[in-house]
Amino acid sequence: MRNWTNRSSRRTLLCAASALWALTGGAALAQALPFKIQAQPAAEGIRQFARQAGVQILVQSDAARGKRTASVSGVLSLDQALDRLLAGSDLTVVSNDGKTIILAPPRSGLIRTRWSTAAAPLTTAADPTPPEPETPSVIEEVIVTGTRSTSRTVTESMAPIDVISAAELTKSGKQSTRDLISTLVPSANTSNSGAGASFAIKTVSLRGLSADQTLVLVNGKRRHNTAILFVNGTTQNGQSPPDLDLIPSSSIERIEVLRDGASAQYGSDALAGVINVILKKSPEGGSMTALYGKTAEGDGETGQFSGNLGMRLGESGYLNLTADVRLTDPTDRGDKTPNTTVMYFPLNAAGQPVRVGTAGSTPDPREATANRHTSHPGSPQVQLFSLGYSAGSPLGDKIDLYSFGTFSSRNTAAWLTFRNPNASNNNVAVYPDGYTPRLFLKDRDFQVAAGAKGLGLLGFDWDLSTTFSRDDVDYYENSLNASLGPSSPSYFYLGTLKFQEWTSNLDLTRELDTGVFAQPLFLALGAEYRDDKFEIVAGEPASYINGGYVAPAGSPQAGVVFAGGSQGVTGFPPFSAGSFSRDNISAYLNVEQKVTDQLEFALAGRFEHYSDFGDAKTFKLSSRYEILPHLAIRGTASTGFRAPSLQQQHYASSSTIGVIVPPATTTQLYPVQLLPPDNPAAIALGAKPLRPEKSVNYSVGLVAQPLPRMNVTLDVYQIKIDNRILQSGTLGPNAAVSNALASQGLNPQQAAFYYGNFADTKTRGIDLVVDYKTDLGDFGAVRWTFSANHTKNKFTRVVQPPPALAAAGIVYIDRVKIGDLTVGTPKEKYILGADWTLGKFDTNLRLTRYGEVIQRTSLAANDETVSPKLIVDLDLSYAATKAITVSVGANNLLDAYPDSVRAANRGTPAFAYYNQYAPYGISGGFYYARVAARF
């Protein structure tokens, strides 16, 4: 992003379009090229011309404002096409050397401009060649999210949008797109806590809502959800959002984050907003990046290599390829929580093991030498291999073919909670010193899209596409099925989850001259068909059966009832296996009208029909009014909905988690059963068929440019959600739960939970984003950014169980669940960034302050507080050559950790020392070195 200024210091902005590939000047002037450009606002018309001609065009934004360029179609020379483009626009060519074209109104006479970050001399008509930028860039990036128009910029948007550029993606040691979004977007938060399969995927959420209430797009096409359902997490329980980590970061050109409800524009899930990942389309050049780093503790060793290559397809097509490899070792902070329990059975006078507490027994001598480092909280081990591609080619003069896709393979492993040798869920014949279950997930994921778009279909521009995607996750575990006795295997196949999505779209857009207003009416309409399928494949029998093993008389475990199934995460049994599908069809209409030069409106409506729960209608009204040339007010009002996921409707599993079993006041490992809502046991506990979540969203904001090179946006919002789908609190263990489970042949010695429309909520917040560029002359330039968010969630209604169930001790939404949504994430977040460039050096400093987080527990006396914390990220880069940049940096430079967890909440034996509710994790600082090469 670059600013242009003139000698009089009058603020001007560069409206520049950059070529996707460079052509030599003589060839560009003489060669006939195919053009397909519609009549439209000058800013976008010039950009499209530059892309198709392979040149750079420079024009002051004030000169282009309010003007329109004409349509250009056919195989023409650059000069012929340029004449047609500018016909009637009141713009003329000041300079044209075949590579860079300068435009201006005839009255301007000459242009006096310079790069604001360079000490180059001013350029006049006598010296028309501007200084060559290192990389052509666009000051006002045209956005494609939150609007169907192709000529709207961030500052012109009627809703708040953040654009994360490719440069910002590389100036960070963040290995995942998810972490980067959370770092740069004020209202985005990442969940770093979870157990069971929830450890493998971390989520990003917007405006205090859930991750699955944010829609993810890739090149404007819906991204599929993960097959995994978060069951034993914390603030993100019950969700199956898209997995951003499976999109190769080196394939990304930019990310657009719409912080506003958009169900009327894009369909289900867009209650909090939309994340649109735009992939690279460059037909030449490329890059390679290698990163190595580790934590301050010396673990979490990470190696990452990525490569991107662009090439031509024929004369006018492109193929852009990306490969990414990331290997990450786990982090382990279990040294803070040594196992202080009695691990082995005590011995009688004859030296034989007996029950704990037996009179006259003495401790096993192994207690003195036992390895007490038995817990391993931290981040998991990850092996990630990703491929991405983007391709396109013209088919004649009016049609473009395109395709893109990603392919990923990820292996993830994490430790669960240690089982003591003397525990009832251990068999000393298999594990004489106890064991820690280790869960392995093998994730195979892909998305492929193909389509065609063109001009002139009954006056409409059209885009016809289809996208097919799938995510398969295999579960394996090192563990034990104690009910099988000494013959239990120690390695289990637990089953597989599969999610498949096939989406087809037809989008039509055009401008209509109504004769009522000076500007044409923009019209967009379209239809979508989507088919979803979710499948659960049962695991091997040893992972879920109860073998009925009875310990022999005289052993310390004689008479113990052993739980069936593998410990940690139990295999998927046949009763939960199956294939579940649904389809939906939708249609939308979107109109945008500029009433005057200052006032514009947009209206969108969408109708959807789902095969399993019926119809949904959503609407959105947006407006923007420019009070002064550099001050505007904008606002939106919309309704939205989110369909219950197939995972929420049909997933069933069993696992072992920390549960308070009365009369105890501390957590202990206890089996829990997740029931699908249509299971008779869940129905006996009050379950009903899931209904869609429905929302009403209001947003009002200010957009200002109070100083040259300064942009300020301030947006306030309210989001009301009815019928919110939540995971219930842990139900039981008690008689009502035991009876319901036993009635379906399930182990009655379990607690249970299920998903339901348990509450209505209201979210209110405010976002502030400021960016400012300071030109320091000989000392370079600094781009300052400051953003802040305050969000408050509250429950407006909580569903209560029927009197009979309430009397039996059933509470659907307990204080833990209420706390997770209202105080389990920071209410405040502040981000201050400074990117200082000086010659070949680039220093990127970012300070992030997270507000207080409270972890509520079943007992108020045991509630935990995560104090506000400042996290410092630093990246130092040096351009060793024009093609090679070396960097060193740190994420969490000061090695900050969250507050420790009180002993009552660490489990038995103790597991976590640092509070996992902290949005910045519990692994401390990460320090890295990076080498990047461009070619």
Side-chain angles (χ1 to χ4, degrees):
M1 186 173 291
R2 298 183 184 271
N3 289 323
W4 284 64
T5 60
N6 57 25
R7 287 190 185 275
S8 64
S9 298
R10 181 175 61 86
R11 180 184 183 278
T12 59
L13 290 177
L14 169 67
C15 174
S18 301
L20 285 181
W21 58 87
L23 300 174
T24 64
L29 287 169
Q31 182 182 0
L33 299 171
F35 290 92
K36 290 183 298 181
I37 303 172
Q38 62 180 328
Q40 57 193 304
E44 179 59 18
I46 292 170
R47 294 174 200 273
Q48 291 186 12
F49 183 92
R51 176 177 60 83
Q52 295 179 26
V55 297
Q56 183 183 54
I57 301 180
L58 307 179
V59 58
Q60 295 180 357
S61 61
D62 289 344
R65 183 175 298 159
K67 294 180 174 61
R68 295 179 61 79
T69 49
S71 63
V72 181
S73 181
V75 180
L76 304 167
S77 70
L78 187 147
D79 286 341
Q80 290 173 328
L82 189 58
D83 288 343
R84 293 190 185 185
L85 179 80
L86 300 180
S89 68
D90 196 33
L91 293 173
T92 61
V93 178
V94 174
S95 171
N96 182 355
D97 66 359
K99 291 192 294 184
T100 301
I101 300 171
I102 301 178
L103 305 179
R107 63 180 179 273
S108 63
L110 52 83
I111 297 178
R112 298 181 182 273
T113 56
R114 65 177 174 89
W115 293 111
S116 61
T117 58
L122 300 183
T123 303
T124 68
D127 180 19
T129 305
E132 185 77 17
E134 290 182 9
T135 55
S137 60
V138 178
I139 288 297
E140 289 279 16
E141 184 69 66
V142 172
I143 58 171
V144 295
T145 310
T147 177
R148 303 283 178 177
S149 173
T150 60
S151 59
R152 190 176 295 279
T153 65
V154 172
T155 56
E156 295 171 344
S157 173
M158 288 181 262
I161 290 182
D162 299 295
V163 177
I164 302 173
S165 67
E168 290 172 300
L169 291 170
T170 58
K171 291 180 182 179
S172 170
K174 305 292 184 185
Q175 288 95 59
S176 74
T177 303
R178 159 188 51 83
D179 285 339
L180 188 65
I181 292 174
S182 178
T183 300
L184 297 177
V185 177
S187 64
N189 278 303
T190 298
S191 172
N192 284 284
S193 57
S198 303
F199 76 85
I201 300 176
K202 300 300 184 287
T203 66
V204 61
S205 58
L206 297 176
R207 291 190 161 181
L209 299 185
S210 301
D212 59 1
Q213 291 166 334
T214 296
L215 176 65
V216 175
L217 308 174
V218 177
N219 285 350
K221 311 301 181 184
R222 178 182 285 266
R223 179 76 175 182
H224 61 287
N225 292 353
T226 177
I228 296 173
L229 182 71
F230 300 161
V231 177
N232 297 324
T234 52
T235 58
Q236 302 294 337
N237 269 335
Q239 302 172 36
S240 298
D243 191 345
L244 289 168
D245 286 356
L246 299 183
I247 302 174
S249 59
S250 294
S251 69
I252 299 173
E253 178 65 31
R254 70 182 188 275
I255 301 171
E256 298 181 1
V257 182
L258 172 65
R259 291 177 278 117
D260 193 45
S263 292
Q265 295 159 293
Y266 298 106
S268 176
D269 304 344
L271 274 64
V274 177
I275 296 173
N276 190 6
V277 178
I278 311 298
L279 302 181
K280 293 177 179 177
K281 300 181 179 65
S282 175
E284 70 171 15
S287 64
M288 291 189 296
T289 303
L291 179 145
Y292 173 80
K294 60 176 64 176
T295 71
E297 294 291 325
D299 57 6
E301 191 172 10
T302 297
Q304 183 173 13
F305 176 82
S306 60
N308 176 263
L309 176 65
M311 61 186 74
R312 297 175 187 265
L313 286 181
E315 292 186 0
S316 304
Y318 66 90
L319 174 63
N320 192 278
L321 302 174
T322 301
D324 189 282
V325 178
R326 185 171 88 235
L327 305 176
T328 301
D329 286 343
T331 62
D332 183 355
R333 298 297 172 265
D335 59 322
K336 302 290 185 180
T337 50
N339 189 338
T340 59
T341 65
V342 175
M343 295 175 59
Y344 297 92
F345 291 107
L347 305 179
N348 60 18
Q352 298 299 313
V354 294
R355 292 180 185 271
V356 175
T358 300
S361 62
T362 58
D364 189 308
R366 289 176 293 178
E367 295 284 354
T369 58
N371 178 9
R372 298 285 172 172
H373 185 165
T374 58
S375 68
H376 308 282
S379 58
Q381 181 179 6
V382 180
Q383 298 174 341
L384 176 61
F385 306 88
S386 299
L387 299 174
Y389 80 93
S390 182
S393 181
L395 180 65
D397 291 339
K398 294 188 176 182
I399 298 176
D400 284 333
L401 302 179
Y402 65 88
S403 180
F404 61 87
T406 61
F407 306 84
S408 298
S409 172
R410 180 177 59 195
N411 300 323
T412 316
W415 300 99
L416 305 183
T417 306
F418 182 73
R419 274 66 171 168
N420 278 346
N422 61 15
S424 61
N425 44 25
N426 181 43
N427 190 299
V428 294
V430 181
Y431 290 111
D433 295 310
Y435 64 100
T436 302
R438 196 177 191 200
L439 184 63
F440 304 90
L441 299 184
K442 297 183 178 181
D443 199 332
R444 306 296 181 260
D445 181 281
F446 74 88
Q447 176 186 32
V448 175
K453 57 185 177 181
L455 310 174
L457 180 62
L458 301 178
F460 286 88
D461 295 348
W462 56 273
D463 185 343
L464 178 64
S465 66
T466 189
T467 304
F468 184 77
S469 53
R470 180 166 174 149
D471 184 44
D472 292 358
V473 184
D474 299 328
Y475 286 58
Y476 298 87
E477 189 176 33
N478 283 131
S479 186
L480 175 78
N481 184 340
S483 72
L484 295 177
S487 63
S488 170
S490 59
Y491 184 72
F492 301 85
Y493 166 63
L494 306 181
T496 300
L497 298 181
K498 302 179 180 182
F499 182 75
Q500 175 180 299
E501 187 169 86
W502 188 7
T503 305
S504 298
N505 297 85
L506 174 62
D507 301 299
L508 305 172
T509 61
R510 69 173 298 178
E511 291 184 343
L512 296 174
D513 190 354
T514 63
V516 178
F517 304 105
Q519 298 290 338
L521 173 74
F522 177 80
L523 171 66
L525 65 157
E528 177 180 281
Y529 174 79
R530 187 165 82 249
D531 183 85
D532 293 342
K533 182 179 179 180
F534 175 60
E535 184 177 358
I536 303 175
V537 179
E540 63 176 294
S543 71
Y544 59 79
I545 64 172
N546 189 319
Y549 172 74
V550 177
S555 74
Q557 293 179 315
V560 172
V561 177
F562 294 98
S566 54
Q567 280 292 305
V569 176
T570 302
F572 299 110
F575 95 87
S576 67
S579 181
F580 316 95
S581 62
R582 72 168 174 221
D583 60 80
N584 81 292
I585 188 169
S586 62
Y588 73 86
L589 176 67
N590 181 195
V591 294
E592 299 179 19
Q593 177 66 65
K594 196 161 189 177
V595 179
T596 67
D597 287 342
Q598 292 78 35
L599 179 64
E600 57 184 326
F601 291 95
L603 179 64
R606 191 180 186 97
F607 171 81
E608 302 220 15
H609 175 75
Y610 281 77
S611 59
D612 54 353
F613 66 78
D615 300 339
K617 304 180 187 69
T618 53
F619 303 92
K620 183 173 183 177
L621 174 65
S622 308
S623 182
R624 183 181 186 275
Y625 179 69
E626 191 170 300
I627 304 170
L628 297 170
H630 302 299
L631 178 64
I633 186 172
R634 63 188 180 191
T636 67
S638 64
T639 60
F641 84 103
R642 190 190 74 83
S645 69
L646 291 174
Q647 290 91 320
Q648 289 173 327
Q649 291 176 303
H650 303 290
Y651 182 89
S653 70
S654 182
S655 57
T656 307
I657 64 173
V659 176
I660 293 181
V661 181
T665 58
T666 59
T667 60
Q668 65 183 70
L669 290 176
Y670 198 82
V672 292
Q673 177 71 53
L674 173 62
L675 299 166
D678 60 355
N679 185 281
I683 295 173
L685 296 173
K688 297 179 180 179
L690 294 179
R691 294 170 291 161
E693 300 175 333
K694 296 184 177 181
S695 69
V696 178
N697 188 316
Y698 299 101
S699 177
V700 177
L702 288 173
V703 181
Q705 296 174 324
L707 296 172
R709 300 186 298 276
M710 175 180 282
N711 297 293
V712 180
T713 63
L714 179 68
D715 295 275
V716 297
Y717 55 89
Q718 174 179 286
I719 308 168
K720 295 180 65 176
I721 302 178
D722 292 339
N723 303 321
R724 190 156 179 177
I725 299 173
L726 300 172
Q727 180 176 301
S728 72
T730 303
L731 307 178
N734 59 36
V737 174
S738 295
N739 293 337
L741 294 173
S743 69
Q744 300 304 307
L746 299 173
N747 175 18
Q749 303 301 316
Q750 297 184 92
F753 40 70
Y754 61 87
Y755 297 104
N757 298 100
F758 285 128
D760 299 341
T761 63
K762 179 190 293 184
T763 301
R764 286 179 172 173
I766 182 170
D767 285 333
L768 172 66
V769 179
V770 181
D771 69 80
Y772 179 62
K773 189 168 185 180
T774 305
D775 189 347
L776 303 178
D778 293 339
F779 296 97
V782 180
R783 180 173 181 261
W784 303 91
T785 58
F786 175 74
S787 57
N789 170 262
H790 175 85
T791 298
K792 182 179 181 180
N793 286 307
K794 76 172 187 177
F795 285 79
T796 58
R797 181 181 70 95
V798 176
V799 174
Q800 301 299 324
L805 289 176
I810 299 298
V811 177
Y812 293 147
I813 301 299
D814 55 21
R815 69 184 313 271
V816 175
K817 293 300 177 184
I818 292 176
D820 284 350
L821 262 70
T822 56
V823 293
T825 56
K827 291 184 179 180
E828 298 90 19
K829 180 181 174 184
Y830 306 95
I831 307 169
L832 176 63
D835 187 358
W836 178 27
T837 56
L838 176 61
K840 295 182 178 182
F841 294 91
D842 191 322
T843 301
N844 192 13
L845 175 67
R846 184 170 47 249
L847 311 177
T848 305
R849 184 190 184 275
Y850 293 95
E852 181 182 80
V853 174
I854 297 176
Q855 175 190 354
R856 287 188 181 171
T857 65
S858 300
L859 301 175
N862 290 339
D863 285 357
E864 303 279 1
T865 297
V866 181
S867 303
K869 188 73 68 173
L870 180 68
I871 303 298
V872 180
D873 299 333
L874 178 65
D875 185 272
L876 305 173
S877 298
Y878 173 71
T881 70
K882 290 184 177 180
I884 298 176
T885 301
V886 293
S887 308
V888 294
N891 297 326
N892 191 355
L893 176 67
L894 304 182
D895 197 29
Y897 282 88
D899 299 73
S900 61
V901 176
R902 66 183 71 209
N905 295 326
R906 295 178 187 173
T908 306
F911 184 70
Y913 179 80
Y914 297 111
N915 196 304
Q916 297 186 75
Y917 273 64
Y920 45 88
I922 64 169
S923 297
F926 178 80
Y927 307 88
Y928 61 88
R930 181 181 63 243
V931 178
R934 299 185 304 275
F935 53 88

